[in-house]
Amino acid sequence: MCIFNTKVGVVRSTKILVAATAKGRQVTVYENAVSVVGGNTRKPGQYGKKAALEEQVREERNNNAMILPCPLTEGSDIIPLNLSRDSFSFANLDKGFPEKPQLRSNARGSTNSFSFEKKLEVVQIGAYSVSIAKSLVDLSRIDTGVFKVNESILPALRERYSVRFGFVICAFNPANKIEPHPIGYVHDPPESKNLFVPTLHIHDGKVHQKENFDQNIYSVNTDEQSGQSPADLEKAYKTKPQKSVKAELKSKILNKDITKINNIRRMSVQGKKENVNYILKLFN
């Protein structure tokens, strides 16, 4: 799912989109709902009212950084996408998948410390402060003046992401005065036949063998093990989708990167599951 530098209350309603590009890169778009310890739940992209946004601002002023790992070919870059004014939304994407009649789903972080060397650049992308780390050593240069960090997550990161991994570090910035939105980025994975989905949970500085999952994973041009397509659901439920799921991916930003769309699949992961990152196979 994701890695938080400091403890959070509940992370739920996660939605992740993964797709390959024509040049063999990977696009990842991420959204979740988070409640801070002692706070309420917020969901990026779901605040249309001023009062709700102000509530989120109060909760997120702790600047708890969320870290999203991604496989990275040596010497390549991670390119963040600004989706703050883009037409893409997971809510609309879901409308491309037929629903079972009369039923609705009811879905209820090698180094030992952070470095004092030159800090990673922090840029403002939409509603978020963002830094890019191309390696675990790079991650040790996180700007602790911007992101709230906890060194207890480093052993877990070192064990799993010490080689060929980069990181997207982000935190909601209320000073940007932009409503929360999905977070997107493009990276070069070493393995071009698979898509990496950042589903491993680290929410309290520890990696537990099993965790509670509450997420939908959307993937483009993947095999049948990666979930159901709109056609699968239409056949099973005898109902039509509200929208064209392919049309929803033709957004201003994503359309520049996602390769030709042959199919889109959605996999729901719910309940107590093995705490791992998911690897989806591209359809040949």
Side-chain angles (χ1 to χ4, degrees):
M1 182 176 286
C2 59
I3 302 163
F4 284 94
N5 267 305
T6 57
K7 188 175 181 179
V8 296
V10 177
V11 180
R12 61 178 178 81
S13 300
T14 299
K15 298 178 185 295
I16 308 171
L17 167 69
V18 290
T21 74
K23 296 182 179 180
R25 310 194 81 191
Q26 178 178 322
V27 178
T28 302
V29 181
Y30 187 98
E31 175 183 287
N32 64 14
V34 180
S35 67
V36 298
V37 176
N40 297 320
T41 301
R42 62 88 173 169
K43 187 172 183 179
Q46 295 298 308
Y47 289 83
K49 296 182 179 180
K50 182 179 180 181
L53 180 58
E54 289 175 348
E55 175 66 21
Q56 176 173 359
V57 168
R58 288 193 292 271
E59 290 180 10
E60 299 216 35
R61 279 180 176 167
N62 62 7
N63 293 328
N64 189 0
M66 182 172 70
I67 300 174
L68 297 170
C70 56
L72 195 64
T73 301
E74 185 175 355
S76 63
D77 294 321
I78 303 171
I79 303 173
L81 303 174
N82 187 350
L83 298 176
S84 62
R85 297 182 179 179
D86 193 71
S87 60
F88 173 81
S89 78
F90 282 105
N92 283 335
L93 186 60
D94 274 326
K95 293 179 181 179
F97 290 84
E99 296 183 2
K100 189 174 183 178
Q102 299 180 339
L103 290 179
R104 296 292 186 271
S105 61
N106 189 25
R108 303 279 178 224
S110 112
T111 180
N112 295 312
S113 64
F114 291 102
S115 173
F116 290 100
E117 297 178 11
K118 183 179 178 181
K119 301 301 181 184
L120 291 173
E121 180 184 11
V122 179
V123 296
Q124 302 304 313
I125 299 179
Y128 302 93
S129 297
V130 178
S131 284
I132 299 297
K134 294 186 179 182
S135 66
L136 188 58
V137 173
D138 222 10
L139 183 63
S140 70
R141 299 191 295 111
I142 189 172
D143 190 337
T144 55
V146 176
F147 304 105
K148 188 173 181 179
V149 296
N150 187 333
E151 293 184 3
S152 67
I153 68 169
L154 291 174
L157 295 178
R158 186 170 57 250
E159 180 180 350
R160 292 163 177 79
Y161 304 117
S162 60
V163 179
R164 289 190 174 184
F165 269 90
F167 305 88
V168 178
I169 310 113
C170 52
F172 178 73
N173 186 353
N176 290 347
K177 297 182 179 180
I178 298 175
E179 293 189 21
H181 53 82
I183 296 162
Y185 51 94
V186 182
H187 61 100
D188 284 306
E191 176 54 70
S192 60
K193 295 182 180 180
N194 298 324
L195 294 173
F196 174 85
V197 190
T199 48
L200 179 76
H201 297 48
I202 307 179
H203 296 163
D204 58 1
K206 301 176 183 178
V207 179
H208 302 280
Q209 184 176 359
K210 290 190 175 183
E211 280 282 6
N212 285 311
F213 279 71
D214 179 16
Q215 59 190 274
N216 284 334
I217 300 172
Y218 307 78
S219 57
V220 178
N221 299 343
T222 49
D223 65 11
E224 294 180 354
Q225 302 303 311
S226 301
Q228 295 176 300
S229 68
D232 294 334
L233 296 176
E234 185 174 341
K235 183 177 180 180
Y237 299 154
K238 309 298 182 183
T239 59
K240 297 286 185 180
Q242 298 180 48
K243 293 188 174 184
S244 166
V245 69
K246 291 185 179 181
E248 290 307 315
L249 285 183
K250 295 300 183 180
S251 70
K252 186 189 307 180
I253 302 297
L254 299 181
N255 192 36
K256 298 178 181 179
D257 293 296
I258 294 180
T259 188
K260 181 180 178 181
I261 301 171
N262 294 318
N263 70 55
I264 302 174
R265 297 186 181 278
R266 183 179 64 186
M267 175 168 53
S268 179
V269 185
Q270 305 290 329
K272 204 80 169 180
K273 303 290 183 182
E274 184 179 2
N275 190 18
V276 295
N277 291 309
Y278 280 50
I279 306 295
L280 306 184
K281 292 183 178 181
L282 287 167
F283 182 78
N284 294 321

